[in-house]
């Protein structure tokens, strides 16, 4: 038996060694071939110099959310600081031209670029759509991003590659096959210890279906799957030469998963706080009604149904006496048909709860219209559990609304925190606590509300565009040397 084992083991080891050598030779050959392709595509630089090509992987660059504001501010910062840098964006937004995308960035975020941006339009963005993977979604989207990244790499090989949308599985592709220096800006970890705890405790969430939580065997299987995926995620993330995270909450998760503390920095996302700070701060923001404003893309994790249910409870209990009527305004972007269907479902929920006349949806609005709504609002509402940061939360505070955010993630640890010992906003975590806190806010005296709003405004300067530019440049400097 031992001799038989040895006779099988030795050939198996030999065959494994041969396959490993072949794989290494194949990958090295692919790398050389890609480097040859890189030489075929060159950009004309200033003064005859070959420019440094910095490419951002952002398949949804025209979506209009907080992540897109980070992208355009990062590009503007590099253009202003470095004369011989050409910025490229890998995008799947083939329904718009490059000029329309840049114009949209200015219209939505008030960001004007100083130089032209090159766009590489990708055809296989559907590979990272969650709808394509009804099961094993995390793994499916991550593997899909590898194929999408391969398409991007074949179309353009940059000098520096920055994943600005959370597709960490593309990092080793560009680093080891493309020969690029790679960095990333992490808005939220693809998987986190919080997600592991949700599955372990068999809690029902938007990403943990009831049929799994009700079955111990399914829950254990999913937990093993999550641990396996977390291992892979940590492996590919550790390939990054520079890691930027948007909050201390994200930092803690990335440090535990990627173990790349030496090259990881917190870079708060750029919030156009000065534009909102320029809005007048008056004692009574409206003389006709109290408006409650929510800012956030219409995605499931934003939990808009919780906002509507809490608002309905607020109206139903009628604990506000004869005060002014209430209006809930949901402001957000729709990326695709799924988001549009989600809005329809939210409108149906409003009808079921009898609050349709008090709820308004404003979709893909301009920056100027956003300012007008915030200037009139009394309360800014946010309900996402473990929001990685919360640009909309900062914008509400800068505009002078009293923020009511979820008691978790970035709002809890970085934004809605006391400033010089004074309160800057409120936190809640369920339908009842949201409704009760809104009652409390609306019951405050105008002077007390004004005091909270002033404290909030003073606290948001650390999230300004200028602060982002400084910390972003310090972080990416190792890539540009």
């Amino acid at each position: 038996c031992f001799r038989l084992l040895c006779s099988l083991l030795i050939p198996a080891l030999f065959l494994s060694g041969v396959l490993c050598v072949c794989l290494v030779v194949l990958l090295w050959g692919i790398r050389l071939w890609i480097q040859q392709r890189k030489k075929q595509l060159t950009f004309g630089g200033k003064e005859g110099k070959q420019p440094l090509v910095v490419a951002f992987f952002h398949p949804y660059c025209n979506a209009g959310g907080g992540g897109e504001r980070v992208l355009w501010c990062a590009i503007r910062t590099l253009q202003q600081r470095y004369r011989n840098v050409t910025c490229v964006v890998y995008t799947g937004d083939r329904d718009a031209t490059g000029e329309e995308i840049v114009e949209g960035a200015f219209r939505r975020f008030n960001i004007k670029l100083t130089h032209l941006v090159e766009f590489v339009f990708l055809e296989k963005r559907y590979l990272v759509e969650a709808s394509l993977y009804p099961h094993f979604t995390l793994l499916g989207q991550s593997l899909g991003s590898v194929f999408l990244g391969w398409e991007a790499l074949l179309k353009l090989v940059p000098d520096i590659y920055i994943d600005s949308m959370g597709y960490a599985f593309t990092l080793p592709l560009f680093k080891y096959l493309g020969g690029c220096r790679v960095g990333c800006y992490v808005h939220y970890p693809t998987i986190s210890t919080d997600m592991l705890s949700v599955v372990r405790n068999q809690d029902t969430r938007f990403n943990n279906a009831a049929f799994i939580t009700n079955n111990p065997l399914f829950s254990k299987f999913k937990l093993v799957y999550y641990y396996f995926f977390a291992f892979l995620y940590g492996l590919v993330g550790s390939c990054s030469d520079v890691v930027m995270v948007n909050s201390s909450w994200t930092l803690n998760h990335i440090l535990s998963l990627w173990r790349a503390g030496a090259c990881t920095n917190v870079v708060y996302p750029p919030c156009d706080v000065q534009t909102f700070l320029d809005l007048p701060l008056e004692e009574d923001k409206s003389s006709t009604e109290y408006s409650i404003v929510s800012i956030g893309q219409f995605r499931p994790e934003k939990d808009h149904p919780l906002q509507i249910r809490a608002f309905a409870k607020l109206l139903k209990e009628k604990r506000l006496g004869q005060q002014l009527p209430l209006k809930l305004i949901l402001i957000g972007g729709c990326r695709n048909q799924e988001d549009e269907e989600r809005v329809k479902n939210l409108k149906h929920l409003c009808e079921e709860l009898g609050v349709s006349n008090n709820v308004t949806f404003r979709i893909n609005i301009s920056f100027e219209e956003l300012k007008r709504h915030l200037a009139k609002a009394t309360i800014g509402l946010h309900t996402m559990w473990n929001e990685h940061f919360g640009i909309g939360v900062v914008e509400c505070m800068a505009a002078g609304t009293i923020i009511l955010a979820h008691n978790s993630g970035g709002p809890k640890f970085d934004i809605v925190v006391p400033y010089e010992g004074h309160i800057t906003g409120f936190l809640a975590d369920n339908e009842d606590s949201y409704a009760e806190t809104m009652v409390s806010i609306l019951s405050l005296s105008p002077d007390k509300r004004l005091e909270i709003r002033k404290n909030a405004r003073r606290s948001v300067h650390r999230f300004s565009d200028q602060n982002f530019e400084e910390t972003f440049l310090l972080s990416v400097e190792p890539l540009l040397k």
Side-chain angles (χ1 to χ4, degrees), residues 150-209:
W150 176 250
E151 180 191 350
L153 188 60
L154 291 182
K155 289 186 174 180
L156 173 69
V157 185
D159 299 299
I160 297 170
Y161 170 80
I162 298 177
D163 165 40
S164 53
M165 206 174 170
Y167 295 108
F169 280 71
T170 63
L171 295 170
L173 187 69
F174 278 83
K175 182 171 185 176
Y176 298 119
L177 294 184
C180 310
R181 285 162 278 173
V182 300
C184 58
Y185 188 96
V186 184
H187 297 277
Y188 55 92
T190 304
I191 192 168
S192 66
T193 54
D194 291 321
M195 293 169 66
L196 292 171
S197 67
V198 165
V199 178
R200 189 185 304 112
N201 298 331
Q202 296 181 245
D203 293 336
T204 301
R205 298 270 182 174
F206 74 90
N207 57 353
N208 196 38

Side-chain angles (χ1 to χ4, degrees), residues 66 69-70 73 76 111 185 245-249 266-277 388-399 403 409-419 424 455-472:
R69 191 172 207 286
V70 171
C73 277
R76 181 181 63 183
I111 295 174
Y185 188 96
V245 297
N246 65 344
S247 68
S248 58
W249 180 87
V266 175
V267 180
Y268 287 130
C271 307
D272 193 8
V273 295
Q274 191 54 55
T275 298
F276 292 104
L277 289 172
H388 39 287
F389 179 73
I391 289 181
V393 175
V394 174
E395 291 176 342
C396 285
M397 294 169 69
I403 191 66
K412 178 180 180 179
F413 296 109
D414 291 298
I415 306 174
V416 191
V417 296
Y419 178 74
T424 59
N455 293 336
R457 278 193 155 189
R458 286 193 290 266
S459 73
V460 298
H461 287 285
R462 64 191 187 279
F463 306 123
S464 65
D465 284 2
Q466 181 180 357
N467 186 69
F468 169 81
E469 291 169 2
E470 293 171 356
T471 53
F472 176 77

Side-chain angles (χ1 to χ4, degrees), residues 212-231:
I212 292 179
T213 61
N214 295 331
N215 190 307
L217 181 62
F218 285 173
S219 291
K220 289 179 181 178
F221 179 79
K222 185 169 184 177
L223 189 61
V224 171
Y225 158 59
Y226 267 21
Y227 273 113
F228 171 70
F229 183 83
F231 169 76

Side-chain angles (χ1 to χ4, degrees), residues 34-103:
I34 289 176
Q35 292 304 307
Q36 288 298 318
R37 289 180 62 88
K38 180 179 180 179
K39 296 178 182 178
Q40 297 173 6
L41 180 60
T42 58
F43 291 100
K46 296 180 180 179
E47 301 174 0
K49 296 180 181 179
Q50 185 64 27
L52 191 68
V53 179
V54 180
F56 292 84
F57 190 75
H58 209 105
Y60 296 90
C61 72
N62 203 32
E68 287 66 61
R69 191 172 207 286
V70 171
L71 169 69
W72 299 118
C73 277
I75 290 175
R76 181 181 63 183
T77 301
L78 288 177
Q79 289 181 342
Q80 292 174 343
R81 175 65 177 81
Y82 296 98
R83 295 182 58 192
N84 204 41
V85 162
T86 294
C87 291
V88 176
V89 178
Y90 296 114
T91 179
D93 293 301
R94 295 187 297 149
D95 57 344
T97 65
E99 292 79 8
E100 289 171 341
I101 293 173
V102 171
E103 192 278 331

